[in-house]
Amino acid sequence: MTGTLVLAGTPIGDVADAPPRLAQELAAAEVIAAEDTRRLRRLTQALGVHTTGRVVSYFEGNESARTPELVEALAGGARVLLVTDAGMPSVSDPGYRLVAAAVERDIKVTAVPGPSAVLTALAVSGLPVDRFCFEGFLPRKPGERLSRLREVAAERRTLVYFEAPHRLDDTLAAMAEVLGAGRRAAVCRELTKTYEEVRRGPLAELAAWAAEGVRGEITIVVEGAAERGPEELDAAELVRRVRIREEAGERRKEAIAAVAAEAGVPKRDVFDAVVAAKNAAQRD
């Protein structure tokens, strides 16, 4: 009889947010795979939990190598508990490989729901939360970061990102450049911790604020692109959207067709706008 893989959410700041089942699972697990065993030790001490299972490290650097070992333990009937430093495993944290491998072996996978920086930031952002997409961390290199942002420039769902504090100003400046200086956003810092702060405003304003230096763990929430009718899209906006898609790797023909469908206008209108803009640039 195979065992069970348990993905357990851990507090993102305040240890009092730990779900009651977390303590039970920590005490019962035969194997505990932790992103940082030192943090696990501090967590169990704070919760007053005595663990009897074998504790192993499971982080980005050894995830590929350690997954088969954990799968074999599961196949042998063990109850394996996976915890990361904060939040839910697999969500921009180690866990996906182990879950996929367990599912492939028809091993039961369950979860202890817990705190999530993504959902917490969304809830306090003041931005629409009925539809959203989580984009994780943007690329570190400026060119790749701009390219990734261009891919979502027309996305209407609310966007959620994680970012390191020392890159926050550059990221917000890039967002203002690609998504629009006036696009609303919220920077959520140190969620649920003592110095929690939620800064809301236009991207350009937030970029200027972040340039002064920001510390702590950061989650960024950005409103989606506005749904605009054909009468609101002038030729310059149509051309801008085509350019964004082309810079993201789309061929011009496909980009024109996509923008036309998105804007609700004939493809010929978009084509003519692109040609006119090209001719004007050549004259200049």
Side-chain angles (χ1 to χ4, degrees):
M1 188 174 180
T2 58
T4 299
L5 172 61
V6 183
L7 310 177
T10 55
I12 60 175
D14 190 338
V15 71
D17 292 334
R21 274 186 56 210
L22 176 59
Q24 299 170 15
E25 292 289 352
L26 284 166
E30 294 162 280
V31 180
I32 302 174
E35 185 176 9
D36 186 326
T37 56
R38 291 167 300 180
R39 289 200 182 193
L40 172 65
R41 192 177 305 114
R42 289 197 293 269
L43 177 63
T44 55
Q45 289 173 349
L47 297 177
V49 175
H50 175 65
T51 60
T52 58
R54 179 167 60 97
V55 176
V56 298
S57 63
Y58 190 76
F59 59 97
E60 186 178 358
N62 72 355
E63 191 175 0
S64 296
R66 180 138 283 169
T67 293
E69 172 191 333
L70 294 174
V71 170
E72 288 309 309
L74 287 162
R79 190 172 186 85
V80 176
L81 182 71
L82 176 62
V83 293
T84 56
D85 290 348
M88 284 299 299
S90 291
V91 182
S92 201
D93 273 332
Y96 166 74
R97 288 187 178 89
L98 181 55
V99 172
V103 170
E104 187 176 344
R105 293 282 293 270
D106 201 26
I107 293 169
K108 181 180 178 180
V109 180
T110 187
V112 177
S116 165
V118 175
L119 297 180
T120 304
L122 273 167
V124 302
S125 69
L127 297 172
V129 297
D130 54 331
R131 299 176 66 227
F132 68 91
C133 53
F134 174 56
E135 291 287 314
F137 285 91
L138 284 165
R140 298 182 181 184
K141 294 182 179 180
E144 295 177 4
R145 182 167 55 222
L146 288 172
S147 179
R148 184 73 60 80
L149 287 169
R150 290 182 186 114
E151 292 177 7
V152 298
E155 174 60 63
R156 291 174 180 165
R157 292 173 294 179
T158 298
L159 303 164
V160 185
Y161 295 90
F162 287 159
E163 190 50 279
H166 62 278
R167 290 196 298 269
L168 179 62
D169 56 341
D170 289 337
T171 292
L172 290 171
M175 287 178 169
E177 177 184 342
V178 176
L179 305 181
R183 183 85 72 93
R184 293 186 303 157
V187 176
C188 305
R189 186 180 71 85
E190 295 288 88
L191 286 169
T192 78
K193 298 179 182 177
T194 302
Y195 298 104
E196 174 182 284
E197 179 182 16
V198 180
R199 193 91 175 194
R200 305 175 182 87
L203 282 169
E205 180 182 301
L206 292 173
W209 162 74
E212 300 175 6
V214 177
R215 295 182 179 181
E217 296 185 354
I218 306 293
T219 305
I220 307 170
V221 185
V222 185
E223 75 173 335
E227 186 172 356
R228 303 165 69 180
E231 70 283 354
E232 297 179 84
L233 298 181
D234 57 17
E237 175 63 14
L238 294 173
V239 172
R240 188 185 76 86
R241 293 192 180 194
V242 171
R243 185 177 68 252
I244 288 172
R245 288 180 171 275
E246 284 186 296
E247 290 174 349
E250 284 190 25
R251 295 172 55 189
R252 177 165 294 180
K253 182 179 179 180
E254 283 73 23
I256 288 173
V259 170
E262 179 183 275
V265 299
K267 284 189 288 186
R268 185 70 195 184
D269 289 0
V270 182
F271 175 80
D272 289 345
V274 171
V275 172
K278 181 180 179 182
N279 291 339
Q282 289 174 341
R283 287 195 299 271
D284 293 341

